[in-house]
């Protein structure tokens, strides 16, 4: 499953201390908990739509002082980029560090965000908008005066690539990338090199809205 590849990629990180999969309490996600038990990865279950609450309750249970949020629709997290963002987060005192701009300009597939437990708790207590409860990061950027935020531009040069899985065509591309590259870990440089050699692959999912999820949440809260 895609979740296997997400976890496998992250296990190549030199700086991640613990991986926990936080899924929902809905019965259709029982299969996720069963699978994680098979492969020896901790699972936390919480709200389906209120992701801030799910992350907050998970962080409390595991006593995390800092949380890196890694959406499981991104099977090719680059562990080198992950560690770069962790190093930035650890370099100076801050509340929130990411390598993607807000408002979003791209959704490549190896976006990373890290926040302190104290910052998450503040967002958990005060976020009201659906886009903030569901996507977490908008709260930090909507209240920049309340947090110290660091941003790494290390993904800007890859902004025209996409290997996140939201739609069928995304999955088709990701499967082809995995089959053709066939190494571990798969780095963003491996993907870029392949897509430059075979540019027709990019056409498979180039029509998909990169910011579909957040756009939907914002539309709902404005109705």
């Amino acid at each position: 499953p895609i979740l296997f590849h997400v976890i496998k990629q992250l296990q190549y990180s030199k700086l991640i201390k613990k991986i926990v999969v936080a899924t929902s309490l809905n019965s259709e996600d029982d299969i996720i908990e069963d699978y994680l038990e098979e492969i020896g990865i901790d699972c936390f279950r919480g709200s389906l739509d209120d992701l801030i609450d799910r992350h907050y309750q998970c962080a409390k249970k595991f006593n995390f002082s800092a949380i890196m949020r890694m959406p499981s629709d991104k099977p090719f997290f680059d562990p080198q980029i992950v560690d770069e963002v962790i190093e930035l987060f650890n370099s100076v005192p801050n509340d929130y560090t990411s390598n993607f701009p807000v408002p979003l300009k791209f959704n490549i597939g190896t976006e990373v965000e890290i926040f302190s437990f104290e910052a998450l708790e503040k967002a958990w207590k005060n976020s009201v908008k659906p886009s903030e409860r569901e996507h977490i990061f908008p709260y930090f950027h909507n209240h920049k005066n309340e947090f110290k935020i660091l941003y790494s531009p290390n993904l800007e040069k890859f902004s025209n690539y996409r290997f996140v899985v939201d739609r069928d065509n995304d999955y088709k591309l990701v499967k082809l990338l995995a089959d053709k590259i066939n190494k571990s870990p798969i780095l963003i440089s491996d993907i870029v090199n392949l897509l430059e050699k075979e540019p027709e692959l990019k056409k498979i999912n180039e029509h998909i809205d990169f910011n579909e999820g957040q756009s939907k949440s914002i539309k709902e809260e404005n109705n």
Side-chain angles (χ1 to χ4, degrees):
I2 287 177
L3 185 57
F4 167 82
H5 294 279
V6 176
I7 294 168
K8 185 177 181 182
Q9 288 282 114
L10 294 178
Q11 286 175 331
Y12 282 96
S13 163
K14 297 176 181 178
L15 299 178
I16 290 177
K17 294 181 179 179
K18 185 175 183 63
I19 296 173
V20 177
V21 175
T23 190
S24 87
L25 289 165
N26 289 31
S27 59
E28 59 262 34
D29 287 337
D30 291 350
I31 191 173
I32 295 177
E33 185 174 19
D34 293 343
Y35 175 68
L36 294 171
E37 185 175 353
E38 287 180 20
I39 63 174
I41 296 292
D42 283 304
C43 180
F44 176 84
R45 303 189 70 171
S47 170
L48 176 66
D49 298 317
D50 189 346
L51 266 69
I52 281 193
D53 185 69
R54 194 196 309 175
H55 281 68
Y56 175 71
Q57 301 300 340
C58 178
K60 277 185 66 177
K61 177 179 178 179
F62 288 93
N63 197 30
F64 291 147
S65 60
I67 301 94
M68 175 179 286
R69 178 176 176 242
M70 320 294 287
S72 58
D73 57 0
K74 300 180 178 182
F76 297 141
F77 277 114
D78 186 324
Q80 293 180 354
I81 290 178
V82 167
D83 285 351
E84 287 176 15
V85 180
I86 294 175
E87 287 175 347
L88 178 61
F89 178 78
N90 291 334
S91 64
V92 295
N94 71 98
D95 302 303
Y96 175 96
T97 298
S98 81
N99 62 354
F100 57 87
V102 175
L104 290 176
K105 297 178 181 177
F106 51 73
N107 189 9
I108 298 166
T110 189
E111 287 78 7
V112 179
E113 59 181 328
I114 310 173
F115 34 85
S116 68
F117 178 80
E118 291 77 14
L120 174 60
E121 186 169 51
K122 189 171 187 177
W124 173 75
K125 288 179 178 178
N126 298 306
S127 59
V128 176
K129 297 178 180 179
S131 60
E132 294 175 345
R133 302 293 312 179
E134 181 179 356
H135 299 283
I136 301 180
F137 69 84
Y139 182 86
F140 296 108
H141 294 272
N142 290 342
H143 302 82
K144 288 183 178 180
N145 60 318
E146 300 176 19
F147 301 100
K148 181 171 183 181
I149 295 176
L150 295 181
Y151 168 66
S152 167
N154 65 11
L155 289 187
E156 294 282 0
K157 61 184 176 181
F158 305 117
S159 60
N160 61 329
Y161 296 95
R162 174 186 170 90
F163 41 89
V164 61
V165 181
D166 286 332
R167 296 291 183 182
D168 288 344
N169 280 12
D170 290 329
Y171 174 74
K172 181 179 179 181
L173 174 62
V174 162
K175 190 172 186 306
L176 284 170
L177 293 176
D179 290 342
K180 287 175 176 287
I181 297 173
N182 193 26
K183 66 181 279 286
S184 293
I186 293 176
L187 305 179
I188 195 168
S189 57
D190 299 319
I191 296 172
V192 169
N193 288 339
L194 176 61
L195 293 177
E196 287 181 350
K197 290 178 183 177
E198 303 183 35
E200 69 278 4
L201 293 175
K202 284 183 62 178
K203 297 179 181 179
I204 293 174
N205 67 345
E206 64 181 5
H207 63 285
I208 298 172
D209 178 7
F210 73 88
N211 194 19
E212 183 179 37
Q214 191 183 6
S215 297
K216 181 174 180 288
S217 295
I218 292 173
K219 183 177 179 180
E220 288 174 354
E221 70 192 21
N222 290 334
N223 287 338

